[in-house]
Amino acid sequence: MDFQVVVLAGGTSKELVPLVSKEVPKALLPIANRPVLSYILELLEASNLKDLIVVVEGEEAAVRVGGWITGAYVDRLHVEVARVPEDVGTAGALRAVAHHLTASDILVVSGDLVCDVPPGAVAAAHRRHDAVVTALLCAVPVSGPSETGASGGKDKAKKPGRYNIIGLDPTTQFLLYIATGAEVEKDIRFQKSILRAVGQMEIRADLMDAHLYAFKRSVLQEVLDQKDTFNSIKQDVLPYLVRTQLRSELSSNGMSQAEENWNGKVASQDNQALSSQQLPPGMIPTVPSFHELYAFCPNGSSPPKRTHKCCVYIASKGKYCARLNSIQAFSDINRDVIGEASHLSGYSFSAHNNIIHPSAELGSKTTVGPQCMLGEGSQLGDKCSVKRSVIGRHCRIGSNVKVVNSVIMNHVAIADGCSIQGSVVCSNVQLQERVVLKDCQVGAGYVVTAGSEYKGESLARKEKSQS
Amino acid sequence: MDSRRASRMVIDPKPKVRQVGFFTPGAPPERTKSSPAESLSSPPTSDMSPAGNSLSPVMIPPPRHASDNLSSSLGLNSSRVLPVPVPMSPIRRPSTGDNLNLPLGSYNPSESLLGTSLSPSSGFDDEGLSEDTSTSGWFVRGNPGKVASSFPSGGFDTTAMKSRNIPVVSNLTTVSHLLTKRKKGGIAEKGGTLVEVQHEQVRDSKLKEKTSKAERRALQEAQRSAKAASRAEGSKTAATSGGVTAANAKPAKAKASQKKEGSSVASSDRKGPEKDRKKDVPHPRMQFDDKQRVEKAKRRAVVKQTEARNRVELFRHLPQYEHGTQLPDLESRFFQLEPMHPSVYKVGLQYLSGDTSGSNARCIAMLQAFKEAIKDYTTPPEKALGRDLTAKISSYVSFLIECRPLSISMGYAIRFLKNRIAKLPLTFSETEAKATLCSDIDRFINEKIILADKAIVKHAVTKIRDGDVLLIYGSSCVIEMILLHAHELGRQFRVVVVDSRPKLEGKALLRRLVSKGLCCTYTHINALSYIMHEVTLVFLGASSVLCNGTVYSRVGTACVAMVAHAFRLPVLICCEAYKFHERVQLDSICSNELGDPDVIAKVPGREDVDHLENWANNENLQLLNLMYDVTPSDYVSMIITDYGMIPPTSVPVIVREYRREHLWM
């Protein structure tokens, strides 16, 4: 179908700091004991997109991600890993691989996306409207832990403020305005010209940009070339394209776009008598978008204005769509993938609605509740209780340990009498006796001394990172 | 001398029949009349009787009456019925008139018409038939109703009538039917018609079971006489045309069995081979009330098709799906459909979502997509370009049909393209062949659509004078061009844009017209009779013009034309000649398209007006959103086409003279 896929796997995100480290870049953070990148790769694979470019920030991260992909997808996908320096931003990452892009349309996917929206749907909407860019929008996920963990993450969930303001046309097919939460201060400015052309704008705050875009390659390359300062797709490229949709400055696309209503690039390719002048305006689609109305209508004397279309595909309500861009999101996604969006995990659930690896060992009177996962070779002592949590591989957990609403990664040693609630415990952490953690993040390799209690803190090995 | 008389006799009743025909608004429909009155008032029967002198009068009425009975029941729902009033025996009427034939009604015509429309119409002309009737008296006698009824309404109606009459006539005059064909059309056409005839017989046998004893007897008598006539005829033609023996043998054999066991046995005897034949012939259009076929088609389908519930019974033979489900499903499998070319896929999506509509736009979009596909095409190893590409195009077409049924004009474009592929010289290399095809497609679009539109505009503008008030309906691009051109020429006229729900296509057109400075009035079709007072000329677009002059167009067109006719206003149809079709259609039931019923249930912009919410759950409610209707040629004053301005009766001439040579060149 003439699409190329670029997966932006990122590097070591600052927002996820205690969780990510040099050893575990963001793309490899485990969601239900699988790297988060595997979710998007498998989604693409299911859509028959097997030729991928994965862009990773930072050398070490690139090596690790590349190594993991080779191991996991050796026969299934054809993946090329591109390494870009850190802090170039998403636009910079695309710029770096721009010369590899040849297909007419490019699908740009963020590597931290966990969703089950078929990318084909986005691509189809893109093709149908012959759009310059099509963005996948999805409902903002319900943040914060669900009912049982009433105490967990209150402070984080209560932080509103990060609204995305998205303006759509009445048919909810075109994007008229987009601003991310960070940019929205007090007032937002809309363009009169767009409002006038459309007549009616629907402003939504309940939608989120899922970071899955289909771009027209020529446009993408042109924008990246011309606008050196553009750093991020979401904050620079997309708003720029949306802003200029009625006064397109895109030379490679602009002219043909006006004619591409239905007759493609005929005029430019053939010298035959099929140029736009000869085609009567009545022959444009009988349900024209406002772009065509705008371009053709005014007085007829002026040449058609150059416009381009920015489309959206809004995921339906039943679809799951989330991005791993905060610690909160990390625990949410872990919970959801084991819980309500369990079809994403690819595991088969037991009768108790949980997954316990056959090699895991459970002590007597230990209960593992529904929506839990126990990785390979993990051991639990007596009288333990695990609820709504994910426990990684080869963990050694003592007796009388409570794990609720938490994520425990691989090779974690937890001594007797610990209580862990709403926390994330990274690999190789040691928790000594009677440690109580509530809403904490424990960085890799950290040792929590016996009897200590933490609440809402982020624990990491300071000396290691400084040295 | 003899021939002249015969043809005269046939032609004579023409004006009279026109008067009593079903079209004319003033005349009462014959159906409602009692049969004696009918036989008195009908001129053709009185004309026929001298011709049928040599026959015993007993033989004639039953077949004729039965056939007309059938066709009148077919035409029940349309304004159009056989224009000839026919005597009906009072015994027969109640038994067969409605309850027996109605179930077939919605089913019959499309098959019979479609199947035969191609072959007989192409090689058919009036003189040929009239000569025939004169030279072979038996023909006239064998099915006089047919000849008499078919002639008055113009040359092309004959094909329709003929095929319609087959059900009853075939039993007795299968041979004669074939023989006349053979004489006129040549042997090549025989296959199609033969199968058609057999088709009808299956149904006919059903019909026969209920006929009374007297009827059967009359039938038998008629058959015997027909056989005697055909024997004489057969010996004659056997000498002239050699290759017909096979066809001859079959009816002859059937005749023998008839002789022995009577007609009912004979027809049941023939059922076996008929069924086999039936399978071989691909259906021209799928009947969606046929469960098995629908299942089969579904398995092949690319687009997931959930059949809509609460379909209107009369339109069950047309496809109707749940409209909400198709698009998301097709979209989500964007990358899975490898063999589909992206541009074709895009066009399919646009059809499905309604982004592209209007038969010109759809046809151009399809051809452009095919052109893209051909450009990207490479012949797989060990395959011939001609064959493989044709198969590819066919698969594309079936995909497009799944997205939305093809419009009639697109069928012609597809046939054209396939023909060009088939006619490619074998010596051409792949690149040469592709370039030829691409330029062919461009030429088709240019000549048949764009230049044709220009020609139409040139012709039509001459009809617009200062002070005219033009009424237009819906949104047709040709008509828009006409209006704009007339405006540019400085004509002073006013436009009444009539629109209808649910599409409200007129709004966009209105917007464009007003922005160009035309003086417009906008109204809905409800106010048609009011606004018609001030109108002086009616311009209408068409999706297709059929061979009997019927205009197949956006639903509502017939209504506009009818009201205009009642006000004695000229109705001009603007239609490119590539949209003309050989088919003959008398009603808008047998072939039509069903739109999304949800659209008419909802009022756009008014969420509060939602009285039909969840209508699908109510078994008693069926919504019908028809897309097209059929305007009988009587309401059409003139058809403006790229070859000039023609009366509706001349459509077959265009089809015959201009189209075939283009297709087969």
Side-chain angles (χ1 to χ4, degrees):
Chain A
M1 284 296 177
D2 207 13
F3 264 87
Q4 247 178 326
V5 185
V6 178
V7 180
L8 301 176
T12 50
S13 165
K14 288 189 195 79
E15 285 162 358
L16 294 165
V17 132
L19 307 187
V20 295
S21 60
K22 289 229 169 62
E23 290 81 39
V24 185
K26 183 181 170 185
L28 298 184
L29 277 179
I31 300 285
N33 291 339
R34 265 170 57 188
V36 62
L37 190 59
S38 71
Y39 288 88
I40 195 68
L41 292 185
E42 256 151 55
L43 181 71
L44 293 169
E45 189 188 12
S47 299
N48 210 9
L49 291 165
K50 300 190 171 164
D51 220 341
L52 317 173
I53 299 175
V54 177
V55 187
V56 189
E57 280 182 3
E59 190 151 355
E60 200 167 334
V63 171
R64 288 189 184 274
V65 172
W68 169 76
I69 290 174
T70 353
Y73 293 97
V74 64
D75 282 335
R76 293 156 66 188
L77 295 173
H78 177 248
V79 181
E80 287 168 52
V81 177
R83 178 179 55 81
V84 295
E86 294 189 42
D87 300 325
V88 290
T90 44
L94 273 183
R95 226 173 255 137
V97 294
H99 56 279
H100 292 297
L101 303 177
T102 50
S104 69
D105 292 280
I106 311 293
L107 210 57
V108 179
V109 193
S110 172
D112 58 4
L113 183 66
V114 178
C115 79
D116 55 359
V117 181
V122 180
H126 182 71
R127 277 283 163 81
R128 196 179 110 206
H129 294 292
D130 222 335
V132 159
V133 59
T134 302
L136 170 66
L137 301 182
C138 57
V140 176
V142 190
S143 186
S146 52
E147 61 284 81
T148 49
S151 54
K154 244 181 211 163
D155 43 349
K156 286 192 190 78
K158 281 281 166 65
K159 260 187 235 161
R162 303 257 312 195
Y163 286 125
N164 296 310
I165 306 289
I166 289 169
L168 302 171
D169 79 315
T171 60
T172 63
Q173 286 176 328
F174 298 105
L175 191 58
L176 308 178
Y177 182 82
I178 186 160
T180 44
E183 302 162 17
V184 179
E185 290 297 327
K186 276 186 226 148
D187 45 355
I188 49 175
R189 290 162 166 271
F190 293 106
Q191 282 163 286
K192 248 194 228 162
S193 61
I194 291 181
L195 264 180
R196 205 179 294 133
V198 186
Q200 197 179 345
M201 188 193 287
E202 191 178 315
I203 295 177
R204 306 273 295 259
D206 59 339
L207 291 174
M208 171 188 99
D209 184 357
H211 280 219
L212 193 157
Y213 310 103
F215 280 104
K216 188 168 274 187
R217 177 184 55 86
S218 53
V219 172
L220 183 67
Q221 285 177 335
E222 188 182 333
V223 171
L224 293 176
D225 280 351
Q226 288 177 356
K227 313 281 175 182
D228 295 331
T229 51
F230 280 5
N231 195 26
S232 149
I233 294 175
K234 182 180 179 169
Q235 280 160 16
D236 298 322
V237 178
L238 188 60
Y240 168 76
L241 288 174
V242 171
R243 223 166 36 233
T244 58
Q245 57 183 317
L246 288 185
R247 41 183 175 83
S248 181
E249 294 160 8
L250 309 166
S251 61
S252 65
N253 177 69
M255 200 50 220
S256 63
Q257 181 66 33
E259 301 157 2
E260 258 178 8
N261 302 312
W262 50 261
N263 73 325
K265 302 134 209 156
V266 184
S268 53
Q269 287 174 0
D270 295 22
N271 294 327
Q272 292 227 349
L274 263 183
S275 72
S276 66
Q277 286 82 27
Q278 283 182 310
L279 294 171
M283 277 194 181
I284 60 173
T286 44
V287 190
S289 72
F290 67 92
H291 297 96
E292 279 119 29
L293 289 177
Y294 181 81
F296 282 105
C297 248
N299 304 324
S301 53
S302 58
K305 295 191 178 67
R306 302 200 298 189
T307 58
H308 59 244
K309 293 184 196 168
C310 303
C311 293
V312 290
Y313 179 85
I314 300 177
S316 56
K317 289 255 156 45
K319 298 286 185 188
Y320 184 81
C321 192
R323 286 192 59 217
L324 173 53
N325 51 8
S326 67
I327 292 168
Q328 184 62 51
F330 177 75
S331 18
D332 286 345
I333 294 171
N334 260 306
R335 191 191 63 227
D336 290 340
V337 165
I338 294 301
E340 58 196 47
S342 54
H343 57 280
L344 279 171
S345 64
Y347 297 108
S348 55
F349 284 74
S350 73
H352 302 292
N353 202 13
N354 54 19
I355 309 156
I356 298 175
H357 197 272
S359 60
E361 293 172 22
L362 300 180
S364 65
K365 289 189 181 172
T366 288
T367 57
V368 178
Q371 304 186 0
C372 285
M373 181 169 187
L374 222 57
E376 176 190 354
S378 287
Q379 303 168 354
L380 266 76
D382 300 340
K383 292 183 186 172
C384 289
S385 157
V386 180
K387 287 175 187 163
R388 294 168 165 271
S389 298
V390 178
I391 295 175
R393 296 183 194 88
H394 305 289
C395 293
R396 293 192 309 281
I397 296 177
S399 306
N400 236 339
V401 174
K402 274 187 188 157
V403 181
V404 180
N405 262 328
S406 300
V407 180
I408 292 171
M409 296 186 196
N410 305 331
H411 303 285
V412 175
I414 299 176
D416 297 351
C418 289
S419 165
I420 302 163
Q421 239 181 32
S423 302
V424 180
V425 179
C426 291
S427 300
N428 301 321
V429 168
Q430 278 187 39
L431 300 186
Q432 294 175 347
E433 283 88 4
R434 298 181 309 284
V435 168
V436 179
L437 295 178
K438 204 169 177 187
D439 308 327
C440 293
Q441 298 87 42
V442 186
Y446 194 79
V447 180
V448 184
T449 48
S452 50
E453 282 189 31
Y454 293 101
K455 193 174 175 185
E457 283 184 59
S458 167
L459 311 170
R461 279 192 297 179
K462 289 263 164 51
E463 68 279 13
K464 183 71 184 270
S465 60
Q466 278 165 356
S467 63
Chain B
M1 163 206 94
D2 201 21
S3 72
R4 270 193 66 209
R5 233 184 69 209
S7 62
R8 233 220 175 118
M9 168 203 80
V10 173
I11 290 163
D12 262 344
K14 194 175 194 172
K16 290 179 206 160
V17 173
R18 280 259 169 181
Q19 275 170 7
V20 293
F22 268 67
F23 303 99
T24 341
E30 295 97 333
R31 252 180 301 156
T32 56
K33 278 191 191 172
S34 64
S35 45
E38 255 176 62
S39 57
L40 278 181
S41 69
S42 66
T45 39
S46 59
D47 265 353
M48 286 331 292
S49 47
N53 261 346
S54 54
L55 256 189
S56 73
V58 194
M59 301 173 191
I60 308 160
R64 193 174 7 140
H65 126 85
S67 72
D68 277 303
N69 223 2
L70 176 67
S71 51
S72 73
S73 76
L74 292 178
L76 260 186
N77 302 291
S78 68
S79 60
R80 181 141 206 187
V81 187
L82 283 185
V84 188
V86 177
M88 297 180 179
S89 68
I91 328 155
R92 179 75 194 282
R93 266 185 85 176
S95 65
T96 50
D98 290 342
N99 49 7
L100 174 65
N101 288 339
L102 242 193
L104 303 175
S106 63
Y107 183 76
N108 247 344
S110 69
E111 256 194 324
S112 57
L113 297 187
L114 282 175
T116 46
S117 60
L118 237 178
S119 41
S121 62
S122 48
F124 216 76
D125 46 1
D126 294 16
E127 287 100 323
L129 184 56
S130 61
E131 264 171 27
D132 246 21
T133 49
S134 60
T135 48
S136 53
W138 56 269
F139 182 79
V140 181
R141 274 180 268 124
N143 35 21
K146 180 166 84 180
V147 179
S149 65
S150 51
F151 260 85
S153 50
F156 253 80
D157 272 0
T158 50
T159 54
M161 302 310 169
K162 247 181 133 72
S163 58
R164 280 194 165 201
N165 278 340
I166 289 166
V168 178
V169 177
S170 60
N171 244 346
L172 21 149
T173 53
T174 315
V175 176
S176 77
H177 192 83
L178 287 174
L179 286 178
T180 51
K181 275 279 145 50
R182 218 179 295 140
K183 271 186 164 178
K184 278 170 294 192
I187 303 155
E189 287 166 2
K190 195 176 54 202
T193 45
L194 179 64
V195 175
E196 257 322 302
V197 169
Q198 288 167 350
H199 250 210
E200 299 297 338
Q201 278 168 357
V202 177
R203 238 167 280 130
D204 193 26
S205 66
K206 261 189 255 162
L207 192 148
K208 205 173 296 142
E209 283 161 19
K210 296 207 180 165
T211 52
S212 69
K213 197 177 173 185
E215 228 101 63
R216 278 205 299 273
R217 202 191 153 136
L219 271 174
Q220 225 169 327
E221 295 269 318
Q223 280 162 1
R224 216 166 285 161
S225 71
K227 202 194 69 190
S230 65
R231 193 175 292 153
E233 186 73 16
S235 59
K236 234 188 281 171
T237 46
T240 52
S241 57
V244 293
T245 41
N248 244 347
K250 201 174 182 269
K253 197 177 127 206
K255 238 182 291 153
S257 64
Q258 267 176 22
K259 203 172 186 179
K260 274 180 227 152
E261 293 146 1
S263 58
S264 59
V265 183
S267 65
S268 66
D269 200 4
R270 272 194 226 167
K271 256 183 192 169
E274 278 158 24
K275 270 189 182 163
D276 294 344
R277 286 282 187 130
K278 215 171 173 182
K279 268 179 202 160
D280 295 341
V281 181
H283 253 272
R285 188 163 289 210
M286 212 171 62
Q287 299 293 314
F288 282 80
D289 44 3
D290 187 341
K291 285 229 174 76
Q292 282 182 327
R293 278 167 201 274
V294 169
E295 284 301 315
K296 214 188 257 176
K298 246 190 211 167
R299 260 175 272 138
R300 285 197 307 262
V302 178
V303 184
K304 190 179 115 205
Q305 296 171 327
T306 327
E307 297 249 333
R309 296 189 301 157
N310 292 18
R311 287 187 293 168
V312 179
E313 188 61 39
L314 190 56
F315 291 92
R316 265 187 187 278
H317 59 287
L318 300 173
Q320 183 167 23
Y321 305 112
E322 296 278 4
H323 274 252
T325 57
Q326 287 172 283
L327 188 61
D329 179 69
L330 186 62
E331 279 188 337
S332 63
R333 290 187 299 136
F334 184 70
F335 291 112
Q336 271 100 332
L337 296 171
E338 267 315 315
M340 211 54 66
H341 191 270
S343 57
V344 177
Y345 192 90
K346 179 176 149 189
V347 170
L349 278 176
Q350 285 173 340
Y351 285 179
L352 193 55
S353 61
D355 287 349
T356 307
S357 64
S359 61
N360 271 352
R362 280 171 69 195
C363 189
I364 293 178
M366 179 188 73
L367 286 175
Q368 298 281 6
F370 286 168
K371 201 173 93 177
E372 292 294 312
I374 288 172
K375 266 184 196 156
D376 294 347
Y377 172 82
T378 46
T379 320
E382 299 179 13
K383 279 194 179 165
L385 178 130
R387 303 234 172 136
D388 191 55
L389 191 57
T390 313
K392 264 245 156 65
I393 297 279
S394 297
S395 75
Y396 294 158
V397 169
S398 63
F399 168 73
L400 292 180
I401 290 176
E402 281 162 29
C403 292
R404 190 181 160 185
L406 294 184
S407 70
I408 295 178
S409 56
M410 288 158 75
Y412 179 60
I414 292 164
R415 248 192 301 161
F416 165 80
L417 179 59
K418 283 193 179 169
N419 210 280
R420 299 304 302 166
I421 296 173
K423 289 278 152 70
L424 281 175
L426 288 172
T427 51
F428 269 25
S429 71
E430 192 180 303
T431 43
E432 265 178 318
K434 277 157 65 177
T436 319
L437 289 177
C438 287
S439 72
D440 277 340
I441 290 176
D442 277 339
R443 216 186 52 209
F444 184 91
I445 294 174
N446 208 14
E447 282 177 10
K448 292 282 160 184
I449 303 176
I450 293 173
L451 291 181
D453 279 347
K454 283 189 173 164
I456 290 174
V457 169
K458 215 166 67 192
H459 290 305
V461 160
T462 62
K463 293 290 160 197
I464 301 179
R465 283 164 301 180
D466 284 348
D468 266 345
V469 179
L470 312 179
L471 185 137
I472 61 174
Y473 174 71
S475 168
S476 159
C477 59
V478 194
I479 287 175
E480 184 184 347
M481 288 159 67
I482 292 169
L483 297 180
L484 295 180
H485 188 62
H487 184 68
E488 278 167 24
L489 292 181
R491 301 270 159 80
Q492 298 297 316
F493 62 94
R494 205 155 63 80
V495 182
V496 177
V497 180
V498 179
D499 208 352
S500 69
R501 283 199 63 217
K503 282 203 162 180
L504 298 178
E505 294 159 313
K507 275 188 182 174
L509 175 67
L510 184 73
R511 186 184 163 142
R512 291 192 290 268
L513 291 180
V514 170
S515 73
K516 294 276 158 95
L518 275 81
C519 180
C520 293
T521 307
Y522 179 76
T523 183
H524 274 205
I525 198 164
N526 323 13
L528 192 60
S529 59
Y530 165 75
I531 203 83
M532 203 57 97
H533 283 285
E534 37 189 280
V535 173
T536 59
L537 196 58
V538 177
F539 272 108
L540 295 173
S543 169
S544 177
V545 178
L546 308 179
C547 251
N548 53 350
T550 304
V551 176
Y552 185 76
S553 185
R554 180 105 190 85
V555 68
T557 307
C559 174
V560 173
M562 229 180 285
V563 175
H565 186 259
F567 280 82
R568 312 235 172 274
L569 294 173
V571 177
L572 309 184
I573 302 286
C574 303
C575 183
E576 298 86 353
Y578 87 102
K579 292 183 186 169
F580 289 5
H581 198 268
E582 307 91 337
R583 188 195 300 175
V584 168
Q585 199 173 320
L586 302 180
D587 56 42
S588 46
I589 299 165
C590 57
S591 161
N592 210 320
E593 192 183 330
L594 297 182
D596 183 4
D598 276 324
V599 182
I600 50 173
K602 282 183 192 136
V603 183
R606 288 287 304 274
E607 299 294 325
D608 50 322
V609 185
D610 203 7
H611 306 299
L612 293 182
E613 202 179 359
N614 298 328
W615 61 273
N617 299 331
N618 190 341
E619 298 257 317
N620 296 328
L621 178 62
Q622 298 155 344
L623 296 187
L624 176 66
N625 181 10
L626 270 186
M627 301 288 270
Y628 296 101
D629 69 8
V630 146
T631 311
S633 59
D634 291 52
Y635 300 136
V636 178
S637 316
M638 191 165 70
I639 296 174
I640 303 178
T641 180
D642 28 344
Y643 297 113
M645 294 179 273
I646 56 168
T649 44
S650 301
V651 172
V653 181
I654 300 272
V655 172
R656 188 178 64 225
E657 296 298 326
Y658 290 93
R659 289 258 306 257
R660 281 209 313 160
E661 122 264 9
H662 183 81
L663 202 56
W664 306 115
M665 77 190 164

